Every structure is written in C-alpha cells, then in structure tokens.
Amino acid sequence: MGQYADYIKNHPNKDGYFGKHGGAFLPPELETAFKDITEAYARIRSSHDYISELRRIRKYYQGRPTPVSHAAHLSELIGTGCQIYLKREDLNHTGAHKLNHCMAEALLAKYMGKKTLIAETGAGQHGVALATAAAYFGLKCEIHMGEVDIAKEAPNVTRMKLLGCKVVPVTHGLKTLKEAVDSAFEAYLKDPVNTIYCIGSVVGPHPFPLMVRDFQYIVGAEAREQILEMTGNLPDTVIACVGGGSNAIGMFAPFIDDPVELIGVEPGGRSGKLGEHAATMTYGSGGIIHGFKCYLLQDDKGEPGPVHSIASGLDYPGIGPEHCHLKDEERVRYDVAMDDECLEAFYLLCRTEGIIPALESSHAVAAAIREAKQRNSGAILVNLSGRGDKDLDYVTENFGFGDEYLKDWDL
Ligand SMILES: *Cc1c(COP(=O)(O)O)cnc(C)c1O
C-alpha cells in the first residue's frame, strides 16, 4: 500500500477539515440540524439496509453501472498512439452524475423522517436531479431559483414542475445563483426539523463534502474496474472537470493510492481577468463561502467574485475543500480549459464518437485531447459527467454546427 492507503478513512478529520480547508461555519440556528445530519450519516453510512437499498436503486432505477467507452476514432484522429477512454455518466438516469448524490441524499432524508427536500439551482441541473429523487421517494421538493435563471432555463423549470416540485422564484439582487442559495437557506432555517437542505456538490459545511464524495465514489470505483478489465492496466491519467468538484472527486477518490496522474479541469472562460473565468485554483486565494473554507475568487473587498463560464454548471467562485487539500498536497494537478477549447472538444466528440457531451464535461475532454497530443502511448480516462442535450440550443444558436472550430482537423 502506498502513501494514500488510509487517505479516505482519515479525510476529512472529525471536524470536517481536509488539511486547512472545509469545516462548518454555521448560523447558531442551524448547528443542531447539521449535528443531527452528521450523526445520522455516521450511523447509516455503514448500515447494511442503507447500502443495499442504495445498490438496488443504482442498478434498477439509475441504470448503473454506466459503461466505459473507448474513444477509438477520436484517439485515432489525434494520432499519437495515446488512447482516450470515457466514463459514461451521460448514460446515468437524468443524463449526468448529479443523480448519484441526489438519490443518496433523499434516501438519507427519508431515513431521518424528513418531509421536504430544499435546494437552490442555477442552471436547473441540480434542481431536476433532486426533484427526480423526491418523486421517487415520495418526498416534497422545493427548489429556489433566480428569476433570471428561470427565464433562461425554461426546459429545466418545466421538468421540475412535471416532477411535482415547487419552484420558488428569487426576485432580489442579481436574481441568480447566489441569491437563490440565500433564499433556500432562509427557507431551511424556518423548519430544519421537517426539511433538509440538499447540497448539490462536494461543497458547503461539513458533513456535505464527505457525504457527496461517498455518494459519487461509485463513479471511479466502477471505472477503475472497467478499465482494468478492458485494457489490463490502470490508466496513466484520469481527468475530470471541476465546478464544485463532485464528479471529479468521485472519479479521483478510488485512484488516489494508485500510481495514476489526476487532473482537475477548471473553466478558463474567456481570459484570466476576474469576471471572465471561474478558475478558482489558478486565480483564487483562501476564504470562506457558504459555510466552509476553500480557495475562492474574491473581489477587492473579499466578497465572492463574479464568475463566467460557457458551462453554467462550472461557474462557482468557490470549490470543494478536498480539492483544495489535494492541490496543497500536489496529489491532483489543476489546469484550465478555455471556452474555445471546450467548444472544439464538444464538436469533435459529436463527430468522432457520436456522443454529444455537456459543456461542463467538454472541458475535461479538451484537456484530454491536449494531453494526448503530447504523448505517444498510454491511456487517459475521462469522466464524461453528463450529456449535452441541455446545451444544444445555446451552442448552435451562438456558435453554429462546428465547421469553424474543426477546420484544423482532418475529418
Ligand atoms: C453540475 C455539473 C458539473 C459540475 O459539478 P461538479 O460538482 O463539479 O461535478 C459537471 N458536469 C455536469 C454534467 C453537471 O451537470
């Protein structure tokens, strides 16, 4: 066993810290509620009933295991001999990895006797996944969403409503994600006994970064076994995109003690100027956001800074505390992919593999292409976190069908 053999067991520590990141900075009214969640989770984390129920749901409802696909045509086109493999979370029910933690959070809520799931959503992806889980378990669901996002993301609002979820429009401030988080927290504060706040990534106060990592661990665990079976070897490199960091941590965690390079890809956006990217690891510094410590994009006043990414699921000014620790430890390398590289990867995967990826996932594909160009053999495993159906209108209306982006490729 290597240096990281007991890593998962020892991280976070009992106070929810990964090195100097994480913790729980809560208003006093929520301390009891979070203590209850922590205790309940510690109890059921190893309970036979919970684990076997979750296994059953993953297999017979979500459609797990999702496959690993060899991107043979893409690899051939790159032409260096390096092979790219894709973990197909786009084939998970609802089209992304998010359902992995939403189903597990809802099951926990049910065990705890909660009646209502509360959350915020930006582009609507977390809202749809949580509304799906609520419908499955017969729980109520209340999703807070900025009015600006409601207008922009009509199909996801329709989905949530069809799934029986109450969508609460947030009308103050910039009417986007940050205000939606505040509004959802207020609603939770009113009744923390009957409701539970379901965080949508490996962020927020302890124990959420721990729980969501546990719930996403299945992605890397399956992929590790599948690629060993397919190729006889571990991959040289594993790559995932990082917004809050849930799909990446789920993919990385089972490889942490292996001699495998891990790369997290953040949105480089249009440029390195504050407000034109969401590359927390590259440009951020230590701070506190939404109840936990992490690297953070901040303005002159130390407030969370404005962010941009072509992929709305990646534009968060903070990042999961465990990723910050893995950066400090130099166990994971964090890199960026720019909007343009992401679009090129998006179009290329459509044409070479018949897979339309989410713009978030396209960041990871872009980094894989860049790496593969520089190698002459070996294998790169990419977490394809979701499918791109939600992005079709935006991409084609603004950037067309890809000819411009693919002109340097011999297709
Ligand atoms: C939400 C989302 C992400 C970003 O969230 P993480 O917590 O960083 O994984 C990435 N890909 C897809 C498809 C998403 O929907």
Side-chain angles (χ1 to χ4, degrees), residues 1-8 11 18 213 224 234-240 248-249 251-265 281 295 321-335:
M1 283 288 201
Q3 184 186 355
Y4 288 93
D6 289 324
Y7 173 86
I8 296 288
H11 294 79
F18 301 87
R213 177 191 69 196
R224 190 178 181 283
L234 289 170
D236 301 278
T237 302
V238 174
I239 299 183
I249 215 75
M251 187 66 167
F252 293 164
F255 289 97
I256 207 131
D257 196 39
D258 292 325
V260 167
E261 179 189 31
L262 305 174
I263 304 178
V265 187
M281 290 300 198
Y295 292 121
E322 186 161 17
H323 284 288
C324 303
H325 179 60
L326 291 169
K327 176 187 160 74
D328 292 349
E329 291 270 292
E330 298 181 17
R331 177 64 190 92
V332 179
R333 174 154 71 84
Y334 293 87
D335 209 340

Side-chain angles (χ1 to χ4, degrees), residues 79-383:
T80 55
C82 179
Q83 302 301 314
I84 294 177
Y85 294 83
L86 307 169
K87 175 60 173 169
R88 302 290 307 280
E89 287 305 288
D90 59 315
L91 296 177
N92 197 24
H93 179 45
T94 72
H97 70 287
K98 283 199 173 71
L99 197 66
N100 298 333
H101 58 247
C102 285
M103 292 304 282
E105 285 178 341
L107 183 59
L108 172 68
K110 196 159 172 134
Y111 273 49
M112 290 180 74
K114 303 287 180 185
K115 304 279 183 290
T116 304
L117 311 179
I118 297 182
E120 79 291 338
T121 195
Q125 297 302 109
H126 178 51
V128 169
L130 197 64
T132 302
Y136 180 90
F137 288 107
L139 297 165
K140 290 200 191 108
C141 187
E142 183 180 309
I143 300 290
H144 295 244
M145 190 169 183
E147 260 190 343
V148 170
D149 291 328
I150 289 179
K152 255 182 18 200
E153 309 289 346
N156 276 343
V157 176
T158 305
R159 285 186 187 104
M160 284 186 266
K161 288 183 176 165
L162 280 172
L163 294 163
C165 163
K166 180 174 159 201
V167 180
V168 180
V170 180
T171 57
H172 65 273
L174 294 174
K175 304 174 191 169
T176 58
L177 183 62
K178 188 181 168 302
E179 290 79 19
V181 175
D182 298 340
S183 169
F185 246 99
E186 267 168 45
Y188 178 43
L189 271 175
K190 281 186 195 141
D191 187 7
V193 174
N194 292 304
T195 66
I196 185 165
Y197 190 102
C198 292
I199 293 178
S201 188
V202 281
V203 297
H206 179 64
F208 280 91
L210 159 71
M211 290 190 336
V212 174
R213 177 191 69 196
D214 285 356
F215 301 153
Q216 291 294 346
Y217 191 90
I218 186 72
V219 175
E222 286 174 7
R224 190 178 181 283
E225 203 170 293
Q226 289 163 323
I227 197 150
L228 272 171
E229 185 194 291
M230 285 171 89
T231 69
N233 290 302
L234 289 170
D236 301 278
T237 302
V238 174
I239 299 183
C241 68
V242 185
S246 65
N247 87 86
I249 215 75
M251 187 66 167
F252 293 164
F255 289 97
I256 207 131
D257 196 39
D258 292 325
V260 167
E261 179 189 31
L262 305 174
I263 304 178
V265 187
E266 293 194 297
R270 290 186 289 258
S271 82
K273 241 175 72 188
L274 186 67
E276 301 220 319
H277 62 79
T280 314
M281 290 300 198
T282 309
Y283 302 108
S285 53
I288 294 182
I289 183 172
H290 297 141
F292 69 104
K293 279 190 185 169
C294 66
Y295 292 121
L296 185 62
L297 295 170
Q298 313 180 56
D299 64 16
D300 310 341
K301 300 189 202 79
E303 292 290 314
V307 281
H308 158 82
S309 167
I310 195 170
S312 51
L314 300 181
D315 59 4
Y316 185 59
I319 186 166
E322 186 161 17
H323 284 288
C324 303
H325 179 60
L326 291 169
K327 176 187 160 74
D328 292 349
E329 291 270 292
E330 298 181 17
R331 177 64 190 92
V332 179
R333 174 154 71 84
Y334 293 87
D335 209 340
V336 298
M338 308 301 285
D339 284 352
D340 276 349
E341 293 175 278
C342 159
L343 283 165
E344 182 185 352
F346 172 91
Y347 290 121
L348 203 51
L349 201 68
C350 291
R351 298 243 192 136
T352 57
E353 299 296 332
I355 297 170
I356 302 174
L359 284 173
E360 290 81 4
S361 324
S362 303
H363 284 75
V365 177
I369 293 170
R370 197 197 296 150
E371 291 292 324
K373 281 180 177 171
Q374 295 162 12
R375 303 181 183 189
N376 51 30
S377 63
I380 297 175
L381 174 64
V382 178
N383 193 12

